[in-house]
Amino acid sequence: MTLTPQQQAAVTARGQDVCVVAGPGSGKTGVLIARFRWLVEEERLDPRRILAITFTEKAATQIKKRLVEAFEGRPE
């Protein structure tokens, strides 16, 4: 996924929580996945300390699926 400059800023924001608000089909789920991965891979944050909230079951299921795929084969 290619991120816009605004999306990239949300993914790599340091020292603050991030709230992603945008219209349907704008890439919110992708930004949340990228943020999660960035926090774990670059900031070395324990994944159990990350809270991601979405308001639809569809997005929540998509987030779970994509995170499992992203970290597949990495037991740590």
Side-chain angles (χ1 to χ4, degrees):
M1 172 180 176
T2 302
L3 300 174
T4 67
Q6 295 87 353
Q7 290 171 325
Q8 187 64 41
V11 169
T12 59
R14 284 195 159 101
Q16 61 188 355
D17 296 332
V18 173
C19 178
V20 178
V21 180
S26 60
K28 292 179 300 295
T29 300
V31 169
L32 289 173
I33 298 299
R35 172 92 174 149
F36 192 101
R37 290 186 69 178
W38 181 81
L39 288 169
V40 172
E41 294 171 346
E42 302 298 323
E43 297 294 297
R44 302 291 183 213
L45 191 65
D46 183 338
R48 295 170 293 191
R49 296 186 47 94
I50 300 171
L51 174 65
I53 299 172
T54 186
F55 294 101
T56 68
E57 190 67 33
K58 180 180 176 183
T61 300
Q62 191 62 236
I63 289 169
K64 288 180 214 172
K65 178 181 178 239
R66 289 167 66 180
L67 284 174
V68 165
E69 290 170 359
F71 292 104
E72 192 170 47
R74 294 178 58 187
E76 70 282 2

